[in-house]
Amino acid sequence: MAGILTGRTALVTGGSRGIGRAIAIALAAEGADVALCYAGREDAAQEVVERCLAQGGRAAAFQADVSREEDCQRLFSQTEEQLGSVDILINNAGITRDGLLLRMKAEDFDRVLEVNLRGAFLCSRLAARGMLKRRWGRIISLSSVVGLHGNAGQANYAASKAGVIGLTKALAKELGSRGVTVNAIAPGFIRTDMTEGLPEGIREGLLGAIPLGRLGEAEEVARAAVFLAGPGGDYITGQVLAVDGGMAG
């Protein structure tokens, strides 16, 4: 049975684990052919590929550092050779190098912006070229509740994720006339290896700030991405969809 994304090719950066992994699998479940890039965990990336292939479509994984222009160009070339032109781009690759302002090294500030923001710019620029020609495309970038509200000890991460929102809104205005939508998703606190390892007191404090009273699941963020990539997102562009249990409200 065909899914809502059958015939489309999706590229998910940072697709080997966490939210990126969940999005890649969800897109494949709706019929998309899925390419994912990973920074270093080839074994994890191949496990995601197997999960996507089990949905009946095509899938492949490629190593790339999205902050490097030459890596992004190679990533898109490999994707096009094996799966076809990119119709759906998910800018998910991201890192953290947390620290309070007075202790944060300039190189840690720069590196987070290079991966989280410059990477989204480089991939969006490459994807847009083909999307504009075909007059159809979906660019969906992962921001964060931290990009909306800030967070102590994460000046670099907050700046990068706020930058993703600005990039999203600018590209939505540039590309909309050719049928390309550009949106962002701002996850709140999502259940991951990192949040599972938090001390009980900190975990309880987080839950107290979430109106729904629980952490989110990566699959819940993935469903938002599928919605924006599919027919439900046809008339939505330049928006930030918070998937955070009510924190942004």
Side-chain angles (χ1 to χ4, degrees), residues 18-44:
I19 290 173
R21 175 184 184 276
I23 291 175
I25 294 169
L27 292 172
E30 287 295 344
D33 295 326
V34 177
L36 59 100
C37 88
Y38 63 95
R41 289 284 308 277
E42 182 178 5
D43 57 337

Side-chain angles (χ1 to χ4, degrees), residues 57-78:
R58 299 182 298 164
F62 309 105
Q63 193 281 330
D65 176 351
V66 296
S67 72
R68 296 169 55 87
E69 187 170 6
E70 57 270 34
D71 276 28
C72 291
Q73 290 171 337
R74 174 173 49 79
L75 171 64
F76 274 77
S77 294
Q78 291 173 322

Side-chain angles (χ1 to χ4, degrees), residues 10-244:
L11 170 60
V12 183
T13 69
S16 64
R17 57 194 177 93
I19 290 173
R21 175 184 184 276
I23 291 175
I25 294 169
L27 292 172
E30 287 295 344
D33 295 326
V34 177
L36 59 100
C37 88
Y38 63 95
R41 289 284 308 277
E42 182 178 5
D43 57 337
Q46 288 302 323
E47 185 272 335
V48 181
V49 167
E50 293 301 320
R51 288 288 303 274
C52 292
L53 290 172
Q55 308 289 345
R58 299 182 298 164
F62 309 105
Q63 193 281 330
D65 176 351
V66 296
S67 72
R68 296 169 55 87
E69 187 170 6
E70 57 270 34
D71 276 28
C72 291
Q73 290 171 337
R74 174 173 49 79
L75 171 64
F76 274 77
S77 294
Q78 291 173 322
T79 299
E80 290 170 2
E81 288 172 5
Q82 294 199 30
L83 301 176
S85 298
V86 175
D87 301 302
I88 301 163
L89 170 64
I90 309 292
N91 286 312
N92 172 72
I95 63 170
T96 58
R97 290 189 178 179
D98 296 347
L100 295 173
L101 176 66
L102 297 183
R103 298 176 183 172
M104 184 176 290
K105 297 178 181 178
E107 53 265 35
D108 288 339
F109 185 89
D110 291 345
R111 184 56 183 159
V112 170
L113 264 73
E114 285 170 359
V115 175
N116 299 5
L117 183 54
R118 175 181 163 87
F121 158 72
L122 291 173
C123 290
S124 296
R125 186 173 62 175
L126 286 164
R129 290 171 179 165
M131 292 175 179
L132 290 173
K133 290 179 181 177
R134 296 188 299 277
R135 292 182 173 271
W136 197 95
R138 301 285 183 264
I139 297 174
I140 302 166
S141 298
L142 274 292
S143 179
S144 168
V145 67
V146 173
L148 293 170
H149 298 290
N151 196 34
Q154 290 191 303
N156 48 5
Y157 187 74
S160 72
K161 292 303 186 178
V164 165
I165 292 173
L167 178 67
T168 294
K169 290 182 176 294
L171 296 186
K173 294 182 184 300
E174 288 189 27
L175 307 179
S177 65
R178 293 292 190 91
V180 180
T181 67
V182 189
N183 292 288
I185 297 173
F189 291 102
I190 305 300
R191 192 186 307 277
T192 63
D193 292 341
M194 180 181 70
T195 55
E196 286 298 303
L198 289 173
E200 189 63 29
I202 295 177
R203 186 181 174 86
E204 289 178 2
L206 288 178
L207 294 177
I210 304 171
L212 287 184
R214 66 173 177 84
L215 300 182
E217 303 291 344
E219 290 75 16
E220 292 173 313
V221 181
R223 286 195 286 271
V226 169
F227 168 74
L228 290 172
D234 283 350
Y235 200 57
I236 301 173
T237 195
Q239 302 303 306
V240 181
L241 176 56
V243 183
D244 61 3

